Amino acid sequence: MDLKLQSQEALAAMLKETRAAYEALQDKKLQLNMARGNPSPEQLALTMPMMNTLTADDSLITEANEDCRNYGVLGGIPEARKLFAELLSVPADEVFVAGNSSLQLMFNCIQIAFTHGIAGCEPWHKQENLKFLCPVPGYDRHFAVADYFGLQLIPVPMKPDGPDMDIVAEYVEKDASVKGIWCVPVYSNPTGVTYSDEVVRRFASLKPAAKDFRIFWDNAYCIHHIVENPVQPLRITDACKEFDSEDMIYQFVSTSKVTFAGAGVAAVNMSKANLAQFTKEMGIQTIGFDKINQMRHVRFFGDAAGVLTHMKKHAAVLKPKFDVVISMLETELAPLGLGSWTVPQGGYFISYQAPKGCAKRIVQLCKDAGVTLTPAGATYPYGNDPDDSNIRIAPTYPSVEALHQTMELFCLCVKLAAIEQLVHE
Amino acid sequence: MDLKLQSQEALAAMLKETRAAYEALQDKKLQLNMARGNPSPEQLALTMPMMNTLTADDSLITEANEDCRNYGVLGGIPEARKLFAELLSVPADEVFVAGNSSLQLMFNCIQIAFTHGIAGCEPWHKQENLKFLCPVPGYDRHFAVADYFGLQLIPVPMKPDGPDMDIVAEYVEKDASVKGIWCVPVYSNPTGVTYSDEVVRRFASLKPAAKDFRIFWDNAYCIHHIVENPVQPLRITDACKEFDSEDMIYQFVSTSKVTFAGAGVAAVNMSKANLAQFTKEMGIQTIGFDKINQMRHVRFFGDAAGVLTHMKKHAAVLKPKFDVVISMLETELAPLGLGSWTVPQGGYFISYQAPKGCAKRIVQLCKDAGVTLTPAGATYPYGNDPDDSNIRIAPTYPSVEALHQTMELFCLCVKLAAIEQLVHE
């Protein structure tokens, strides 16, 4: 039954009925927040054994005989560098292990380019009208960092296998004012898309007009699968070897969604040339990051295999939640032809494309009934979704039961907004 | 016996004798590093019980019902803000608790002023020929941060009760290009001086020419006493109330030298107006700092009194080390009139003023015999000590026995350098 084919009379009846159902849900006085991709208490509990990993009786001396308790070891303890290196299949001496926030590492990279310049180029604050490419829909905190430093955010459409690489190449290879691009190559935020090998290879083969152009490869979800036998995408570092373009990539990871969102360990992988400058610059702002927490993670996991085993426990918690969202969308909205959505094999989000012009109204209706979603438009630079269509659904935090209620409300709000748009009241 | 009054013959004999003694010490092949103010393993052991403070059975929920394990709570958990507030006698809502590095917080403050501007002023990168005042001798990492952002470092002499405030006032009140000053008000690095109430009051009463001038009040050693009944200096925050100048101060503290140098908790105290901007800007680079480590500290100490009790244990370890240094200087160098030094009541350093023109030579001689000191000149902007005289002695890391050996060597190197300077070979 396509709504658009209904008579005004039928639509008016549906509107009345849907409004009544919405008001009934309002009366339930839900109080739920799905605005951010937060792990649930159930997921956090998976890591509680890590709290017992290091005790007063344990040695806190690294394999290089450095004391985790004291100052120094700026780039991270050798054990932690090896662990991240193993997870990313890169050399340990191309990994810098830091504090609890990969966002902060991204910020650091941009700050260094802005205040001091990279690759021997002028600092960005002395160059004019700079641009940063933003595949859309994308991650609002990424956009905010580039915007903070005055870079113009240029939206680039996402396709089913990654950003539109013709557009990316056109910008990057012809315009020296284009300095970077945000990428979430695996289970992209929010679309859930994993970049195809072809897209990864095209990134690696870019010949930027600007020597200080960098790809910000935020591999936040590289091990966050919810299916068995997930796609194993081409590694950007391997692709770059082929094109001798290693200096173009900053690859970020963290355990924020592996151990604790607030108390994990973040790392950045970059070429030796990039890392030499990055380390020198970071040495101005700190003597070193929390090495005890690095050691705690290393001892808890043992090795990369230990991390992957742990991720299976997350998958067991998350899969049913993704299933609820998808099945509710299938049941409630598919028959009415209302919008489209992704069915990700991992990550933290489901991306819903509402009928054009409905996203803001849907988010507002949800909010008025007690459910906070990511603001409509947040997945676009400057909060501007030209179609007012994309809504990021973050299913990880609520319980399965709460998610049922939320999705019932969500689907109802979609219907209501769509009918409102069609009916001539 | 003043060396300068000796005959050349006597000096030549002394030189021969001292060289022989030096060579004998070289043969001992010492391997010691006193370059940095690192806590000793014995001090770090004092905090090992903290490793058992939080276990898998403990609640990690704050008093405001926030989960330490999840994202958010950018300014720190309420419990930690209260603990630092109590230690500094300031309101908890004027405290921002962050990660493990107060240096990084200082860097953040300067970065924000540089890239975005503070107090409604132009960003520093758009203003020209800016200056930062540096009381000397001072802390090289402070100087490095201001230098990193291109600020010209202006040395200001330290007096026995703090920086020369006539010079400070002259610069700050007449020159709008002066944007900040580094201060270590208690047990100053490296002089050990605690600012007098008069100096603190003069700081608070400054009427800066630049609206975006800030005093970087690094209170790193505010509770690091090694004597009973230490001087209780006037608090800058109390003095500022008198002059309505609260917005002029950023006050930094950390537990780096209370718990673990590499895994402590840092905080900054600032006026509500300053904190509002600081929090907004920090929210671009991170979702929040490690709240579990904040909670670990809070539970370990309980309250400010618990922190002060813990500091007495540090004092018991440190006092004998400071005593060794002072008594060796008194015994070996005072009779010869060789240099002068401070006798601090706390902190991490003893400042030794060598005979003019001898500091570099002394540090080199020590190095050639296996003992690394802070480089001569490091306590001055651009490494330039015009008298080549100041040497920072960091007695905290070596054992008392190793310190004996080191100071024996140090005193011998001072004698050797002084005689070399006087004798006409």
Side-chain angles (χ1 to χ4, degrees):
Chain A
M1 181 186 82
D2 191 325
L3 276 190
K4 285 190 223 91
L5 306 177
Q6 305 303 307
S7 68
Q8 280 295 318
E9 209 168 23
L11 286 170
M14 288 171 76
L15 182 60
K16 198 176 166 190
E17 190 186 337
T18 313
R19 276 209 180 126
Y22 174 73
E23 279 156 21
L25 272 185
Q26 269 190 315
D27 289 343
K28 284 197 180 175
K29 298 201 183 303
L30 299 178
Q31 270 206 313
L32 282 162
N33 192 324
M34 295 220 305
R36 309 297 327 176
N38 285 358
S40 63
E42 201 180 347
Q43 286 174 272
L44 296 169
L46 297 174
T47 302
M48 281 308 279
M50 193 174 75
M51 298 301 295
N52 296 340
T53 299
L54 295 180
T55 72
D57 300 323
D58 286 298
S59 163
L60 294 170
I61 307 298
T62 72
E63 61 183 43
N65 205 30
E66 299 141 335
D67 194 328
C68 290
R69 304 168 301 176
N70 222 321
Y71 288 114
V73 198
L74 179 59
I77 64 173
E79 292 91 333
R81 298 175 76 170
K82 277 182 202 166
L83 181 63
F84 281 107
E86 198 184 345
L87 281 167
L88 294 173
S89 293
V90 298
D93 60 359
E94 296 182 2
V95 174
F96 184 107
V97 184
N100 72 325
S101 167
S102 61
L103 187 69
Q104 205 164 23
L105 285 170
M106 299 172 212
F107 181 95
N108 292 143
C109 286
I110 295 195
Q111 170 257 302
I112 289 167
F114 183 84
T115 61
H116 288 73
I118 55 172
C121 300
E122 280 281 289
W124 291 356
H125 79 80
K126 291 187 176 167
Q127 302 185 44
E128 286 193 356
N129 302 319
L130 301 188
K131 307 187 184 79
F132 217 93
L133 304 185
C134 302
V136 290
Y139 180 34
D140 56 348
R141 290 193 197 273
H142 283 167
F143 303 160
V145 173
D147 183 41
Y148 181 75
F149 287 103
L151 294 138
Q152 188 193 343
L153 309 179
I154 309 283
V156 173
M158 279 291 281
K159 298 170 78 171
D161 68 340
D164 185 322
M165 289 310 295
D166 291 336
I167 295 181
V168 169
E170 178 76 15
Y171 271 111
V172 172
E173 302 191 336
K174 296 201 175 149
D175 185 348
S177 72
V178 172
K179 296 302 183 184
I181 181 169
W182 293 114
C183 291
V184 183
V186 178
Y187 309 133
S188 200
N189 177 354
T191 62
V193 159
T194 294
Y195 293 8
S196 69
D197 292 1
E198 176 55 23
V199 163
V200 172
R201 200 168 279 113
R202 286 201 64 186
F203 267 113
S205 69
L206 285 173
K207 307 285 178 219
K211 202 181 157 196
D212 53 354
F213 168 83
R214 290 292 178 272
I215 299 172
F216 285 66
W217 198 257
D218 183 1
N219 221 337
Y221 307 108
C222 55
I223 53 173
H224 297 60
H225 318 296
I226 55 172
V227 298
E228 296 286 329
N229 305 314
V231 176
Q232 294 295 339
L234 177 62
R235 287 185 200 97
I236 186 73
T237 42
D238 291 341
C240 282
K241 270 180 215 150
E242 199 181 320
F243 297 96
D244 200 21
S245 59
E246 290 97 331
D247 288 348
M248 193 168 55
I249 311 292
Y250 296 148
Q251 180 172 214
F252 305 92
V253 281
S254 83
T255 70
S256 293
K257 280 150 180 162
V258 177
T259 57
F260 293 133
V265 176
V268 58
N269 152 238
M270 50 174 82
S271 73
K272 287 180 185 66
N274 286 339
L275 193 58
Q277 184 189 353
F278 184 74
T279 305
K280 188 171 81 54
E281 312 258 359
M282 291 302 291
I284 300 294
Q285 64 177 275
T286 183
I287 310 175
F289 293 92
D290 183 342
K291 297 181 294 296
I292 293 183
N293 203 36
Q294 293 177 8
M295 185 62 98
R296 187 178 286 117
H297 278 70
V298 168
R299 296 264 174 84
F300 180 58
F301 289 123
D303 55 18
V307 180
L308 300 181
T309 303
H310 188 73
M311 292 313 291
K312 286 193 192 295
K313 299 180 194 168
H314 281 287
V317 176
L318 292 180
K319 183 69 168 51
K321 297 187 180 185
F322 278 76
D323 288 349
V324 167
V325 174
I326 299 298
S327 91
M328 294 284 282
L329 294 172
E330 294 289 350
T331 314
E332 298 294 323
L333 301 184
L336 298 169
L338 288 178
S340 61
W341 46 90
T342 54
V343 184
Q345 303 202 331
Y348 259 57
F349 303 104
I350 290 158
S351 186
Y352 175 73
Q353 287 296 123
K356 270 194 187 185
C358 284
K360 281 204 180 104
R361 177 66 179 149
I362 294 165
V363 171
Q364 185 61 47
L365 283 167
C366 283
K367 186 162 196 180
D368 293 345
V371 171
T372 307
L373 299 173
T374 308
T379 53
Y380 281 73
Y382 312 114
N384 177 29
D385 174 359
D387 288 340
D388 184 26
S389 170
N390 186 253
I391 296 176
R392 183 177 82 163
I393 299 176
T396 57
Y397 190 84
S399 67
V400 169
E401 198 198 335
L403 204 53
H404 261 294
Q405 290 187 310
T406 309
M407 287 309 297
E408 190 187 352
L409 174 70
F410 178 82
C411 294
L412 199 64
C413 293
V414 172
K415 287 181 214 174
L416 193 48
I419 300 168
E420 282 174 350
Q421 202 180 47
L422 293 170
V423 83
H424 311 309
E425 276 189 286
Chain B
M1 185 187 77
D2 191 326
L3 274 189
K4 284 190 224 93
L5 305 177
Q6 304 302 308
S7 67
Q8 280 295 318
E9 209 168 23
L11 285 170
M14 287 170 76
L15 182 59
K16 197 176 166 189
E17 189 187 339
T18 313
R19 276 206 181 129
Y22 175 74
E23 278 154 21
L25 271 185
Q26 268 188 316
D27 288 343
K28 284 197 178 174
K29 299 200 185 300
L30 298 177
Q31 270 205 316
L32 282 162
N33 192 323
M34 296 220 304
R36 308 296 330 176
N38 284 359
S40 64
E42 199 180 347
Q43 286 174 273
L44 297 168
L46 297 174
T47 303
M48 282 307 279
M50 193 174 75
M51 298 301 295
N52 296 340
T53 300
L54 295 180
T55 72
D57 300 323
D58 286 298
S59 162
L60 294 169
I61 307 298
T62 72
E63 61 182 45
N65 205 31
E66 300 141 333
D67 194 329
C68 290
R69 304 167 303 177
N70 222 321
Y71 288 113
V73 198
L74 179 60
I77 63 173
E79 292 92 333
R81 297 176 76 169
K82 277 183 202 164
L83 180 63
F84 281 107
E86 197 184 345
L87 281 167
L88 295 172
S89 294
V90 299
D93 60 1
E94 296 182 3
V95 173
F96 184 107
V97 184
N100 72 325
S101 168
S102 60
L103 188 69
Q104 207 165 21
L105 286 171
M106 299 172 212
F107 181 96
N108 292 144
C109 286
I110 295 194
Q111 171 259 303
I112 290 167
F114 183 84
T115 60
H116 287 74
I118 54 172
C121 300
E122 279 282 288
W124 290 357
H125 79 80
K126 291 189 175 164
Q127 303 184 44
E128 288 194 356
N129 303 317
L130 302 188
K131 306 185 185 81
F132 216 93
L133 304 185
C134 302
V136 289
Y139 180 34
D140 57 349
R141 290 194 197 274
H142 283 168
F143 303 159
V145 172
D147 183 41
Y148 182 76
F149 286 103
L151 294 139
Q152 188 193 342
L153 309 180
I154 308 286
V156 173
M158 280 291 281
K159 298 169 78 172
D161 68 340
D164 186 323
M165 290 309 296
D166 291 336
I167 296 181
V168 169
E170 179 76 15
Y171 271 111
V172 173
E173 302 191 337
K174 295 200 177 151
D175 184 348
S177 73
V178 172
K179 295 302 184 184
I181 181 169
W182 293 114
C183 293
V184 183
V186 177
Y187 310 132
S188 198
N189 178 350
T191 61
V193 158
T194 294
Y195 294 6
S196 68
D197 292 2
E198 176 55 23
V199 164
V200 173
R201 199 167 279 115
R202 285 200 66 184
F203 268 113
S205 70
L206 285 172
K207 307 286 176 218
K211 202 180 157 196
D212 52 355
F213 167 85
R214 290 291 180 273
I215 297 171
F216 285 65
W217 199 255
D218 183 1
N219 220 338
Y221 306 108
C222 56
I223 54 173
H224 298 60
H225 317 297
I226 55 172
V227 298
E228 295 286 329
N229 305 313
V231 175
Q232 294 295 338
L234 178 61
R235 287 185 199 99
I236 187 71
T237 41
D238 290 341
C240 282
K241 270 179 216 151
E242 199 181 318
F243 297 97
D244 200 21
S245 57
E246 290 96 331
D247 288 348
M248 192 167 54
I249 311 292
Y250 296 148
Q251 181 173 213
F252 305 92
V253 281
S254 83
T255 71
S256 293
K257 281 152 180 160
V258 176
T259 57
F260 293 134
V265 176
V268 57
N269 151 237
M270 50 174 79
S271 72
K272 288 180 184 68
N274 285 339
L275 194 59
Q277 185 189 352
F278 184 74
T279 305
K280 187 171 84 46
E281 312 258 357
M282 291 303 292
I284 300 293
Q285 65 177 277
T286 185
I287 311 175
F289 293 92
D290 183 343
K291 297 182 293 296
I292 293 183
N293 204 35
Q294 293 176 7
M295 185 63 98
R296 187 178 285 116
H297 277 70
V298 168
R299 296 264 173 86
F300 180 57
F301 288 124
D303 54 18
V307 180
L308 300 182
T309 302
H310 188 73
M311 292 313 291
K312 286 192 192 296
K313 299 178 194 168
H314 281 285
V317 176
L318 291 180
K319 183 68 167 51
K321 298 188 180 183
F322 277 75
D323 288 349
V324 166
V325 174
I326 299 299
S327 90
M328 295 284 283
L329 294 172
E330 294 289 350
T331 311
E332 298 294 322
L333 301 184
L336 299 169
L338 287 179
S340 61
W341 48 88
T342 53
V343 184
Q345 303 202 332
Y348 259 58
F349 303 104
I350 289 158
S351 186
Y352 174 71
Q353 287 296 123
K356 269 194 187 186
C358 285
K360 282 202 179 107
R361 177 68 180 147
I362 294 166
V363 171
Q364 186 60 48
L365 284 166
C366 283
K367 186 163 196 176
D368 293 344
V371 170
T372 307
L373 299 173
T374 308
T379 52
Y380 280 73
Y382 312 114
N384 177 29
D385 174 0
D387 289 339
D388 184 25
S389 171
N390 186 253
I391 296 176
R392 184 178 81 164
I393 299 176
T396 56
Y397 190 83
S399 67
V400 169
E401 197 198 336
L403 204 52
H404 260 294
Q405 291 187 308
T406 309
M407 287 310 296
E408 189 187 354
L409 174 70
F410 179 82
C411 293
L412 199 64
C413 294
V414 172
K415 286 182 214 172
L416 192 49
I419 300 168
E420 282 174 351
Q421 202 181 47
L422 292 169
V423 83
H424 312 309
E425 277 188 288

